[in-house]
């Protein structure tokens, strides 16, 4: 049986807030709450609600000159009403607002949020119809304590024990802590749990509905192998790593798949949608991994004559953006990564 011990400092704080009427009524979040993962073409919004606090995680991408910028923001709700939430990032002064509308969430930031790259437009919307459940993780240590969402991740008194199932947002970047909630007999406790204390196997996570790949003719313009370019000075080179293959990806219209070569390993995803993006030569390819996880690939033709494109996505292409068609890569110089001797010893 789980033992959730109250954090008396938090209880005292909540009591003080209640006295000043800053905490919303229970009806503010609806009888079933808003816990879940929501997505748009460029990112993900995860909401983890508990009786003690609400955590929000936002990750996404946005145009940044010829490339793309990203956001990776772990936020805590400071004040909440039925239609408006005030949020803040731990250890930062950034102020965020989440407007809760009947059909969508509207997330807005202040100027230049520290968890986003330069040029973030300050606003993202997420349709509530895209909701999917959090992942399910099992506690694999004898006792896993909850931690606060402050800069020091201060330990709390509440904990869960071996075998307990918790709902968690399993961030693709694999952080040290996961935003999680445990549903007890009378209340739900939210907070951060150490990733190493949990077993979040893919087979235990809720599966999204399987989508069919798009028709071959829709993928034909993207077909072929695309090789990563590395910026050097004012131009690009094809970099050859010491102990791995050059990153690349191959679009296969016949099977409706994209095979991504990550250097030392590869992964294959289905292309389940192709939609026009913003501007000429821009597209959004909806990718779906084998475990049902969706990922939006932003595609932009950089130079049609040279066969170059700029791509971006929250996970697989978050750090790798510039590619050239394999048959045109000879127009770019090849360069061997330096310091390879250590790999040969």
């Amino acid at each position: 049986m789980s033992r959730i011990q109250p954090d008396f400092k938090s209880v005292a704080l909540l009591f003080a807030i209640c006295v000043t009427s800053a905490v919303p009524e229970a009806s503010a979040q609806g009888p079933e709450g808003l816990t879940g993962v929501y997505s748009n073409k460029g990112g993900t919004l995860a909401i983890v609600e508990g009786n003690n606090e609400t955590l929000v995680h936002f990750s996404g991408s946005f145009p940044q000159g010829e490339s793309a910028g990203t956001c990776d923001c772990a936020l805590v709700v400071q004040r909440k009403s039925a239609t408006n939430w005030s949020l803040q990032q731990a250890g930062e002064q950034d102020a965020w607002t989440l407007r809760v509308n009947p059909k969508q969430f509207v997330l807005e930031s202040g100027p230049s949020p520290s968890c986003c790259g330069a040029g973030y437009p300050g606003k993202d919307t997420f349709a509530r119809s895209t909701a999917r459940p959090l992942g399910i993780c099992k506690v694999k240590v004898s006792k896993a304590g909850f931690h606060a969402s402050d800069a020091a991740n201060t330990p709390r008194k509440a904990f869960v024990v071996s075998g307990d199932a918790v709902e968690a947002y399993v961030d693709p970047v694999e952080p040290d802590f996961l935003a999680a909630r445990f549903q007890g007999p009378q209340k739900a406790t939210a907070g951060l749990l150490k990733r190493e204390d949990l077993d979040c196997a893919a087979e235990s996570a809720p599966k999204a509905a399987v989508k069919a790949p798009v028709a071959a003719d829709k993928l034909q313009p993207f077909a072929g192998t695309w090789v990563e370019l590395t910026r050097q000075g004012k131009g690009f080179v094809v970099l050859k790593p010491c102990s791995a293959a050059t990153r690349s990806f191959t679009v296969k219209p016949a099977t409706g798949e994209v095979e991504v070569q990550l250097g030392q390993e590869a992964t294959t995803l289905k292309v389940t949608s192709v939609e026009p993006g913003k501007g000429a030569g821009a597209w959004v390819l909806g990718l779906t991994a084998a475990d049902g996880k969706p990922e939006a690939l932003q595609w932009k033709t950089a130079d049609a004559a040279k066969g170059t494109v700029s791509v971006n996505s929250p996970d697989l292409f978050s750090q790798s953006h510039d590619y050239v068609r394999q048959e045109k890569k000879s127009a770019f110089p090849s360069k061997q990564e330096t310091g390879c001797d250590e790999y040969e010893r």
Side-chain angles (χ1 to χ4, degrees), residues 3 5 16 35 40 89 94-95 119 132 140 193 198 228 230 242 246 254 258 262 272 288 296-297 313 329 331:
R3 298 187 296 278
Q5 302 296 326
T35 290
N40 61 19
Q89 186 180 11
D94 302 341
R132 55 189 174 90
K140 63 180 182 180
L193 291 173
L198 303 174
E228 183 183 43
T230 300
C242 296
T246 301
V258 173
L262 301 172
T272 51
T288 302
L297 175 65
S313 74
K329 73 174 185 178

Side-chain angles (χ1 to χ4, degrees), residues 257-276:
E257 295 175 326
V258 173
E259 181 180 343
V260 184
Q261 171 55 250
L262 301 172
Q264 294 184 329
E265 58 181 306
T267 185
T268 300
L269 304 92
K270 289 183 180 179
V271 184
T272 51
S273 66
V274 177
E275 301 291 341

Side-chain angles (χ1 to χ4, degrees), residues 247 249 260 297 311-313 315-321 323:
R247 279 189 61 134
F249 66 91
V260 184
L297 175 65
V311 297
N312 190 59
S313 74
D315 186 8
L316 289 173
F317 296 93
S318 62
Q319 303 295 325
S320 177
H321 306 304
Y323 287 79

Side-chain angles (χ1 to χ4, degrees), residues 114-199:
S114 59
C115 56
C116 293
Y120 174 60
K123 182 178 179 180
D124 265 275
T125 60
F126 297 86
R128 293 177 63 168
S129 61
T130 64
R132 55 189 174 90
L134 296 173
I136 303 298
C137 301
K138 289 289 186 70
V139 178
K140 63 180 182 180
V141 294
S142 59
K143 177 180 176 181
F146 280 95
H147 294 253
S149 298
D150 54 20
N153 295 132
T154 305
R156 290 175 170 170
K157 293 184 178 180
F159 63 89
V160 283
V161 297
S162 179
D164 281 339
V166 298
E167 298 172 82
Y169 173 58
V170 185
D171 193 328
V173 300
E174 290 290 320
D176 293 335
F177 291 87
L178 298 182
R181 72 192 295 267
F182 176 79
Q183 181 62 59
Q186 296 181 331
K187 68 175 184 177
T189 299
L192 300 180
L193 291 173
K194 287 185 177 180
R195 177 67 177 86
E196 63 184 16
D197 291 345
L198 303 174
D199 180 8

Side-chain angles (χ1 to χ4, degrees), residues 36-53:
V37 182
Y38 306 82
S39 58
N40 61 19
K41 291 182 178 180
T44 299
L45 180 75
I47 297 176
V48 181
E49 286 187 303
N51 290 85
N52 57 323
E53 69 175 355

Side-chain angles (χ1 to χ4, degrees), residues 25 33 44 72 81 107-108 147 157 173 208 222 227 289 294 303 337:
E25 297 179 358
T44 299
D72 188 16
S81 73
L107 181 67
E108 296 177 297
H147 294 253
K157 293 184 178 180
V173 300
F222 311 95
V227 180
D303 190 320
E337 183 181 5

